[in-house]
Amino acid sequence: MALADYLSMSDDELASLIVEEKKKKGIVILAHNYQRIEIQKLADYIGDSLELSRIAAKVPARTIVFAGVMFMAETAKILAPEKRILIPDERAGCPLAESITANQLRELRSKYPDRLVVSYVNTTAEIKALSDIVCTSANAVKVVEHLGGKKIIFVPDKNLGDWVKKCTGADMIIWQGSCYVHEQFTVEDVKRAKELHPDAAVLIHPEASPDVVALADLVASTSGMYKFAKEKRTPAIIGTEVGLMERIRHEIQDSKVYPLKRDAICKTMKYTTLPKLARSVREGFFEVTVPDDIREKAFSAVRRMTEIV
Ligand code: 13P
Ligand code: SF4
């Protein structure tokens, strides 16, 4: 069936098709916290980058459909090479992950041979293969602490790098990449949100700029924020992509969460739609592959992370 055929179906028809095909084929759907709410509702697991990579490695399914962006699906393939990993739209990239090339990292490594390379999970498989260890926003501080004072090259996110450097005092050379979704948050946005919701805690993702992060009551990954909302049940301003807020509102009854910015939307995360998810589950679009030599090296860097946290 062509995508146009799926596009002509109603949401209910698509949802039934997805549930049926998933069951028939033993497929598991993983969805990142930024996915559209209709995708989240059909997922077997929802989470942040760290949680989803762990689930991908251990879930007993032969096929995983990864509703997220390419670096996440690639990380699943790196950790679970025996599984078939599908992504509903192969154009769903992450501009932050694409902000550094393998050659640029090779150059940095040869310029600073005494430094360890710590790469954020928002990187291509090739960058991971050139790294000593990987981290996510949930564990970056712990990973760097674990390196016990070693000098570091940190790629590619400058804001997460700045946050980790402040928390650990590590000697870090930081690549100057950033995420356009989080960089749009300003100090004025925080002030405005606080005026509107004076009792709300300010939760900020570490991809936001340092002046915004400085105003946070909690700096956390998307699942760190979810956990806060679930456990504390107190009002919170959500300083990340709006998909997480939709998840919290959908799953946690009486939650009081407000977006720091309503239009903080990751365009490529939203490439996954119900028709594309249905096509993926039914017809096996699009298989994610990572060449063996890259996968093996990238695996070592990701495994080092999972051994620490
Ligand atoms: P999390 O790992 O916190 O979910 O972040 C992923 C991401 O891409 C943030 O923009
Ligand atoms: Fe990449 Fe930013 Fe989208 Fe996260 S929100 S996937 S860092 S572009």
Side-chain angles (χ1 to χ4, degrees):
M1 266 162 75
L3 184 58
D5 297 317
Y6 294 98
L7 286 165
S8 68
M9 294 166 76
S10 71
D11 284 3
D12 284 349
E13 285 170 333
L14 289 164
S16 311
L17 185 151
I18 292 164
V19 170
E20 216 173 278
E21 290 285 326
K22 197 163 77 93
K23 206 168 153 199
K24 199 160 79 191
K25 298 185 172 136
I27 290 174
V28 161
I29 298 178
L30 308 187
H32 185 263
N33 284 320
Y34 296 162
Q35 287 292 297
R36 296 167 187 271
I37 196 68
E38 63 269 27
I39 302 291
Q40 295 188 22
K41 284 181 188 168
L42 289 164
D44 297 286
Y45 301 93
I46 309 168
D48 69 3
S49 316
L50 182 63
E51 291 170 332
L52 294 180
S53 59
R54 289 214 164 104
I55 292 163
K58 70 167 196 236
V59 75
R62 290 188 49 214
T63 304
I64 291 174
V65 173
F66 209 119
V69 290
M70 190 52 96
F71 78 80
M72 297 178 175
E74 272 185 357
T75 307
K77 187 68 188 173
I78 290 164
L79 283 165
E82 72 292 352
K83 292 176 188 155
R84 199 161 161 244
I85 310 292
L86 304 176
I87 187 161
D89 189 327
E90 61 183 348
R91 300 165 310 144
C94 163
L96 171 62
E98 286 144 25
S99 70
I100 182 165
T101 65
N103 277 342
Q104 286 170 321
L105 183 53
R106 276 191 204 100
E107 241 174 66
L108 261 184
R109 284 194 72 128
S110 54
K111 200 166 165 195
Y112 303 104
D114 58 326
R115 289 179 180 260
L116 292 178
V117 176
V118 180
S119 69
Y120 187 25
V121 70
N122 297 41
T123 44
T124 62
E126 230 185 333
I127 295 293
K128 290 184 180 74
L130 290 167
S131 305
D132 294 291
I133 190 162
V134 169
C135 69
T136 74
S137 60
N139 64 20
V141 171
K142 278 191 196 141
V143 165
V144 169
E145 272 170 358
H146 185 86
L147 299 178
K150 295 238 172 65
K151 289 183 182 175
I152 288 164
I153 295 169
F154 187 90
V155 299
D157 189 68
K158 63 176 182 183
N159 295 325
L160 177 63
D162 180 85
W163 166 245
V164 171
K165 192 172 172 172
K166 282 193 181 118
C167 292
T168 62
D171 179 338
M172 292 163 64
I173 290 172
I174 302 168
W175 189 255
Q176 295 297 294
S178 63
C179 161
Y180 72 96
V181 180
H182 291 85
E183 275 236 312
Q184 66 178 292
F185 296 140
T186 62
V187 167
E188 285 65 42
D189 290 332
V190 179
K191 284 185 185 153
R192 208 175 305 124
K194 277 297 279 181
E195 268 166 33
L196 283 170
H197 311 290
D199 299 336
V202 177
L203 316 187
I204 303 287
H205 196 279
E207 285 176 18
S209 57
D211 53 347
V212 172
V213 165
L215 301 175
D217 296 304
L218 175 74
V219 180
S221 76
T222 55
S223 286
M225 295 183 193
Y226 177 84
K227 204 164 156 235
F228 179 98
K230 192 159 187 167
E231 286 171 3
K232 301 267 191 242
R233 307 272 169 157
T234 50
I237 293 159
I238 303 293
T240 193
E241 211 267 0
V242 293
L244 174 69
M245 190 195 61
E246 288 176 24
R247 177 183 178 197
I248 295 172
R249 285 186 176 164
H250 175 246
E251 290 184 17
I252 306 170
Q253 246 198 345
D254 303 325
S255 60
K256 288 194 174 54
V257 284
Y258 313 103
L260 179 53
K261 234 176 169 194
R262 262 174 222 292
D263 53 358
I265 294 170
C266 175
K267 287 194 205 103
T268 45
M269 278 282 178
K270 296 335 190 203
Y271 280 3
T272 311
T273 56
L274 276 183
K276 288 187 207 160
L277 182 62
R279 180 180 60 168
S280 185
V281 170
R282 189 159 186 268
E283 303 190 36
F285 283 117
F286 289 90
E287 182 150 6
V288 176
T289 55
V290 179
D292 280 348
D293 54 334
I294 292 178
R295 194 199 69 76
E296 277 156 26
K297 289 188 193 130
F299 177 74
S300 305
V302 179
R303 197 194 42 203
R304 273 183 214 118
M305 167 186 84
T306 56
E307 281 167 359
I308 296 174
V309 274

